[in-house]
Amino acid sequence: MAEAKVLKAQARDGVGKGAARELRRQGLVPAVIYGDKKAPVTVSLAYKDAFKFIYAGGFLSHILELDVDGTKHLVIPRDYQLDPVKDFPLHVDFLRIGKDTRLNVQVHVHFINEEASPGLKRGGTLNVVRHTVEVSAPANAIPEEITVDMTGFDIGDSIHISAVTLPKNVKPTITDRDFTIATIVAPSALKSAGDDGESEEAEAVAAPAAKAAPKAE
């Protein structure tokens, strides 16, 4: 896991829609810290900081050190609201990270060794079924990405979660099936040739059968 980035915040007293509107007029974004069996703490963030962190990518899967007027809180963003028209940040919820906290997070899938895949070398296409996978992980050991090794996979193969080596204590949240992450599909030219062959074979089999079939009266 990468080192936690620091996001500065300041404590706030006012709550409710009126107080939130006033904060936004001042260029601030209201937020709250909750969890870890402690009382919620209401804070505000500078609009430019909230915007930068949200749109940097992976906002909901990265632990942050929230510096509230000098007091440090280890948190992970759990939700945020955007203006439905202008996409401005309106509110952020942060969850405190405790010693034994486990989280369900979406983690980006990264494919490696594509040059070692016979299927891709033959012109096949990598069809990504899941660009992210939800995993359960210790809060202090959330993986930056899930790595899928493409070595040995050929056209027609499916890459399931069971073929992926996950970090220690990290488990997929879907446990009732060996779900597919990606497949390797044939190139269009090969598909067309295959389809024609299948059609010709089907017609060859169907013709004698049609002659032998009894006619309807």
Side-chain angles (χ1 to χ4, degrees):
M1 185 190 72
E3 184 178 350
K5 295 182 178 180
V6 177
L7 177 60
K8 289 189 175 294
Q10 59 188 59
R12 63 183 175 95
D13 296 324
V15 294
K17 293 183 178 179
R21 282 195 295 267
E22 179 58 31
L23 282 173
R24 295 183 190 112
R25 280 194 290 266
Q26 298 173 22
L28 300 172
V29 177
V32 62
I33 307 169
Y34 67 93
D36 199 27
K37 300 179 181 179
K38 297 177 183 177
V41 175
T42 53
V43 300
S44 60
L45 315 169
Y47 170 83
K48 60 180 179 62
D49 291 339
F51 187 94
K52 180 179 72 174
F53 273 75
I54 288 173
Y55 285 100
F59 185 59
L60 297 180
S61 60
H62 285 83
I63 290 178
L64 302 174
E65 187 178 82
L66 199 61
D67 183 344
V68 183
D69 300 328
T71 300
K72 306 292 179 63
H73 300 262
L74 201 61
V75 301
I76 187 168
R78 294 312 275 164
D79 194 16
Y80 60 89
Q81 298 171 16
L82 300 177
D83 182 279
V85 178
K86 299 181 179 179
D87 287 339
F88 294 161
L90 296 177
H91 191 275
V92 182
D93 290 344
F94 294 103
L95 176 68
R96 289 188 189 90
I97 300 301
K99 178 183 176 182
D100 300 315
T101 302
R102 287 187 68 90
L103 299 170
N104 291 350
V105 293
Q106 294 283 347
V107 180
H108 175 71
V109 177
H110 177 59
F111 297 89
I112 63 171
N113 295 330
E114 295 185 22
E115 71 284 355
S117 163
L120 296 180
K121 289 173 71 174
R122 290 168 53 207
T125 300
L126 179 63
N127 175 43
V128 180
V129 178
R130 293 176 180 268
H131 292 275
T132 63
V133 170
E134 186 178 65
V135 299
S136 172
N140 61 353
I142 298 172
E144 287 292 306
E145 60 189 17
I146 290 173
T147 302
V148 178
D149 189 344
M150 297 299 298
T151 301
F153 286 103
D154 208 341
I155 289 173
D157 286 345
S158 296
I159 300 98
H160 298 97
I161 188 63
S162 59
V164 179
T165 301
L166 296 174
K168 184 180 179 181
N169 293 327
V170 174
K171 302 177 181 178
T173 57
I174 297 175
T175 58
D176 61 343
R177 63 188 185 277
D178 190 14
F179 59 87
T180 301
I181 295 177
T183 60
I184 300 180
V185 297
S188 300
L190 189 56
K191 281 184 183 178
S192 299
D195 291 344
D196 291 342
E198 289 176 3
S199 298
E200 291 173 4
E201 183 180 352
E203 289 174 7
V205 171
K211 290 180 181 179
K215 294 182 180 178
E217 295 182 355

mmCIF file of all heavy atoms in Angstrom, residues 6-11 33 38 41 43 65-75 96:
data_model
loop_
_atom_site.group_PDB
_atom_site.id
_atom_site.type_symbol
_atom_site.label_atom_id
_atom_site.label_comp_id
_atom_site.label_asym_id
_atom_site.label_seq_id
_atom_site.Cartn_x
_atom_site.Cartn_y
_atom_site.Cartn_z
ATOM 1 N N VAL A 6 -1.736 13.345 2.656
ATOM 2 C CA VAL A 6 -2.268 14.245 3.683
ATOM 3 C C VAL A 6 -3.266 15.209 3.046
ATOM 4 O O VAL A 6 -2.980 15.834 2.018
ATOM 5 C CB VAL A 6 -1.142 15.036 4.370
ATOM 6 C CG1 VAL A 6 -1.733 16.012 5.384
ATOM 7 C CG2 VAL A 6 -0.160 14.089 5.040
ATOM 8 N N LEU A 7 -4.434 15.299 3.652
ATOM 9 C CA LEU A 7 -5.461 16.247 3.231
ATOM 10 C C LEU A 7 -5.802 17.119 4.431
ATOM 11 O O LEU A 7 -6.136 16.606 5.496
ATOM 12 C CB LEU A 7 -6.701 15.499 2.737
ATOM 13 C CG LEU A 7 -7.912 16.337 2.325
ATOM 14 C CD1 LEU A 7 -7.564 17.286 1.187
ATOM 15 C CD2 LEU A 7 -9.081 15.427 1.920
ATOM 16 N N LYS A 8 -5.689 18.424 4.250
ATOM 17 C CA LYS A 8 -5.960 19.332 5.362
ATOM 18 C C LYS A 8 -7.448 19.660 5.455
ATOM 19 O O LYS A 8 -8.151 19.745 4.453
ATOM 20 C CB LYS A 8 -5.144 20.619 5.202
ATOM 21 C CG LYS A 8 -3.643 20.416 5.429
ATOM 22 C CD LYS A 8 -2.912 21.738 5.475
ATOM 23 C CE LYS A 8 -1.448 21.548 5.810
ATOM 24 N NZ LYS A 8 -1.264 21.026 7.190
ATOM 25 N N ALA A 9 -7.913 19.808 6.702
ATOM 26 C CA ALA A 9 -9.305 20.153 6.962
ATOM 27 C C ALA A 9 -9.350 21.058 8.184
ATOM 28 O O ALA A 9 -8.345 21.242 8.880
ATOM 29 C CB ALA A 9 -10.127 18.892 7.204
ATOM 30 N N GLN A 10 -10.513 21.633 8.424
ATOM 31 C CA GLN A 10 -10.691 22.437 9.635
ATOM 32 C C GLN A 10 -12.009 22.078 10.289
ATOM 33 O O GLN A 10 -12.978 21.710 9.614
ATOM 34 C CB GLN A 10 -10.638 23.935 9.310
ATOM 35 C CG GLN A 10 -11.685 24.410 8.321
ATOM 36 C CD GLN A 10 -11.463 25.849 7.889
ATOM 37 O OE1 GLN A 10 -10.407 26.193 7.342
ATOM 38 N NE2 GLN A 10 -12.453 26.700 8.130
ATOM 39 N N ALA A 11 -12.025 22.119 11.610
ATOM 40 C CA ALA A 11 -13.232 21.779 12.348
ATOM 41 C C ALA A 11 -14.315 22.814 12.076
ATOM 42 O O ALA A 11 -14.036 23.983 11.804
ATOM 43 C CB ALA A 11 -12.928 21.710 13.844
ATOM 44 N N ILE A 33 -16.351 12.982 9.715
ATOM 45 C CA ILE A 33 -15.538 11.806 10.035
ATOM 46 C C ILE A 33 -16.344 10.969 11.021
ATOM 47 O O ILE A 33 -16.827 11.481 12.036
ATOM 48 C CB ILE A 33 -14.202 12.199 10.685
ATOM 49 C CG1 ILE A 33 -13.459 13.225 9.837
ATOM 50 C CG2 ILE A 33 -13.327 10.976 10.925
ATOM 51 C CD1 ILE A 33 -12.259 13.844 10.548
ATOM 52 N N LYS A 38 -16.303 5.973 17.683
ATOM 53 C CA LYS A 38 -16.068 7.315 18.230
ATOM 54 C C LYS A 38 -17.131 8.263 17.682
ATOM 55 O O LYS A 38 -17.771 7.980 16.674
ATOM 56 C CB LYS A 38 -14.668 7.808 17.838
ATOM 57 C CG LYS A 38 -13.539 6.965 18.407
ATOM 58 C CD LYS A 38 -12.191 7.470 17.924
ATOM 59 C CE LYS A 38 -11.055 6.579 18.433
ATOM 60 N NZ LYS A 38 -9.732 7.016 17.909
ATOM 61 N N VAL A 41 -17.153 13.685 13.787
ATOM 62 C CA VAL A 41 -16.520 15.008 13.813
ATOM 63 C C VAL A 41 -16.855 15.705 12.502
ATOM 64 O O VAL A 41 -16.594 15.161 11.417
ATOM 65 C CB VAL A 41 -14.989 14.897 13.971
ATOM 66 C CG1 VAL A 41 -14.345 16.275 13.879
ATOM 67 C CG2 VAL A 41 -14.631 14.217 15.286
ATOM 68 N N VAL A 43 -16.245 18.544 9.767
ATOM 69 C CA VAL A 43 -15.095 19.323 9.299
ATOM 70 C C VAL A 43 -15.445 19.951 7.962
ATOM 71 O O VAL A 43 -16.505 19.699 7.376
ATOM 72 C CB VAL A 43 -13.839 18.441 9.152
ATOM 73 C CG1 VAL A 43 -13.464 17.800 10.482
ATOM 74 C CG2 VAL A 43 -14.039 17.378 8.079
ATOM 75 N N GLU A 65 -4.506 10.714 5.365
ATOM 76 C CA GLU A 65 -4.270 11.288 6.691
ATOM 77 C C GLU A 65 -4.937 12.652 6.688
ATOM 78 O O GLU A 65 -4.475 13.584 6.034
ATOM 79 C CB GLU A 65 -2.772 11.417 6.953
ATOM 80 C CG GLU A 65 -2.461 11.860 8.376
ATOM 81 C CD GLU A 65 -0.970 11.932 8.641
ATOM 82 O OE1 GLU A 65 -0.360 12.952 8.267
ATOM 83 O OE2 GLU A 65 -0.431 10.972 9.207
ATOM 84 N N LEU A 66 -6.057 12.736 7.397
ATOM 85 C CA LEU A 66 -6.818 13.981 7.441
ATOM 86 C C LEU A 66 -6.311 14.827 8.604
ATOM 87 O O LEU A 66 -6.445 14.450 9.771
ATOM 88 C CB LEU A 66 -8.308 13.668 7.602
ATOM 89 C CG LEU A 66 -9.291 14.773 7.223
ATOM 90 C CD1 LEU A 66 -9.154 15.148 5.758
ATOM 91 C CD2 LEU A 66 -10.727 14.323 7.509
ATOM 92 N N ASP A 67 -5.715 15.950 8.276
ATOM 93 C CA ASP A 67 -5.140 16.854 9.268
ATOM 94 C C ASP A 67 -6.171 17.922 9.602
ATOM 95 O O ASP A 67 -6.397 18.861 8.838
ATOM 96 C CB ASP A 67 -3.865 17.486 8.698
ATOM 97 C CG ASP A 67 -3.155 18.385 9.700
ATOM 98 O OD1 ASP A 67 -3.785 18.759 10.719
ATOM 99 O OD2 ASP A 67 -1.989 18.744 9.462
ATOM 100 N N VAL A 68 -6.826 17.750 10.774
ATOM 101 C CA VAL A 68 -7.867 18.688 11.196
ATOM 102 C C VAL A 68 -7.278 19.634 12.234
ATOM 103 O O VAL A 68 -7.158 19.282 13.419
ATOM 104 C CB VAL A 68 -9.091 17.947 11.777
ATOM 105 C CG1 VAL A 68 -10.191 18.944 12.141
ATOM 106 C CG2 VAL A 68 -9.606 16.917 10.789
ATOM 107 N N ASP A 69 -6.873 20.798 11.787
ATOM 108 C CA ASP A 69 -6.289 21.808 12.682
ATOM 109 C C ASP A 69 -5.153 21.232 13.516
ATOM 110 O O ASP A 69 -5.026 21.511 14.716
ATOM 111 C CB ASP A 69 -7.374 22.387 13.605
ATOM 112 C CG ASP A 69 -8.493 23.066 12.829
ATOM 113 O OD1 ASP A 69 -8.210 23.632 11.756
ATOM 114 O OD2 ASP A 69 -9.652 22.995 13.275
ATOM 115 N N GLY A 70 -4.338 20.371 12.893
ATOM 116 C CA GLY A 70 -3.181 19.810 13.588
ATOM 117 C C GLY A 70 -3.401 18.426 14.174
ATOM 118 O O GLY A 70 -2.445 17.736 14.515
ATOM 119 N N THR A 71 -4.664 18.001 14.307
ATOM 120 C CA THR A 71 -4.965 16.660 14.815
ATOM 121 C C THR A 71 -5.100 15.710 13.634
ATOM 122 O O THR A 71 -5.893 15.960 12.716
ATOM 123 C CB THR A 71 -6.262 16.662 15.635
ATOM 124 O OG1 THR A 71 -6.118 17.560 16.740
ATOM 125 C CG2 THR A 71 -6.561 15.264 16.164
ATOM 126 N N LYS A 72 -4.342 14.607 13.651
ATOM 127 C CA LYS A 72 -4.306 13.691 12.515
ATOM 128 C C LYS A 72 -5.336 12.573 12.691
ATOM 129 O O LYS A 72 -5.434 11.963 13.751
ATOM 130 C CB LYS A 72 -2.902 13.079 12.372
ATOM 131 C CG LYS A 72 -1.776 14.104 12.283
ATOM 132 C CD LYS A 72 -1.835 14.896 10.999
ATOM 133 C CE LYS A 72 -0.722 15.929 10.923
ATOM 134 N NZ LYS A 72 0.623 15.337 10.918
ATOM 135 N N HIS A 73 -6.073 12.292 11.628
ATOM 136 C CA HIS A 73 -7.041 11.196 11.589
ATOM 137 C C HIS A 73 -6.712 10.329 10.377
ATOM 138 O O HIS A 73 -6.621 10.846 9.254
ATOM 139 C CB HIS A 73 -8.472 11.718 11.454
ATOM 140 C CG HIS A 73 -8.919 12.621 12.559
ATOM 141 N ND1 HIS A 73 -9.681 12.181 13.627
ATOM 142 C CD2 HIS A 73 -8.715 13.952 12.762
ATOM 143 C CE1 HIS A 73 -9.928 13.199 14.428
ATOM 144 N NE2 HIS A 73 -9.359 14.286 13.930
ATOM 145 N N LEU A 74 -6.546 9.026 10.604
ATOM 146 C CA LEU A 74 -6.347 8.113 9.492
ATOM 147 C C LEU A 74 -7.731 7.684 9.007
ATOM 148 O O LEU A 74 -8.509 7.088 9.754
ATOM 149 C CB LEU A 74 -5.535 6.901 9.929
ATOM 150 C CG LEU A 74 -4.819 6.118 8.821
ATOM 151 C CD1 LEU A 74 -3.815 6.996 8.084
ATOM 152 C CD2 LEU A 74 -4.131 4.894 9.389
ATOM 153 N N VAL A 75 -8.054 7.998 7.739
ATOM 154 C CA VAL A 75 -9.410 7.792 7.235
ATOM 155 C C VAL A 75 -9.370 7.242 5.811
ATOM 156 O O VAL A 75 -8.335 7.266 5.144
ATOM 157 C CB VAL A 75 -10.206 9.121 7.222
ATOM 158 C CG1 VAL A 75 -10.295 9.725 8.617
ATOM 159 C CG2 VAL A 75 -9.563 10.128 6.248
ATOM 160 N N ARG A 96 -13.156 6.511 9.824
ATOM 161 C CA ARG A 96 -11.911 6.340 10.581
ATOM 162 C C ARG A 96 -11.365 4.931 10.398
ATOM 163 O O ARG A 96 -12.120 3.965 10.331
ATOM 164 C CB ARG A 96 -12.145 6.572 12.082
ATOM 165 C CG ARG A 96 -12.413 7.995 12.495
ATOM 166 C CD ARG A 96 -12.425 8.082 14.009
ATOM 167 N NE ARG A 96 -12.884 9.393 14.481
ATOM 168 C CZ ARG A 96 -14.136 9.683 14.738
ATOM 169 N NH1 ARG A 96 -15.072 8.753 14.579
ATOM 170 N NH2 ARG A 96 -14.479 10.879 15.154
#
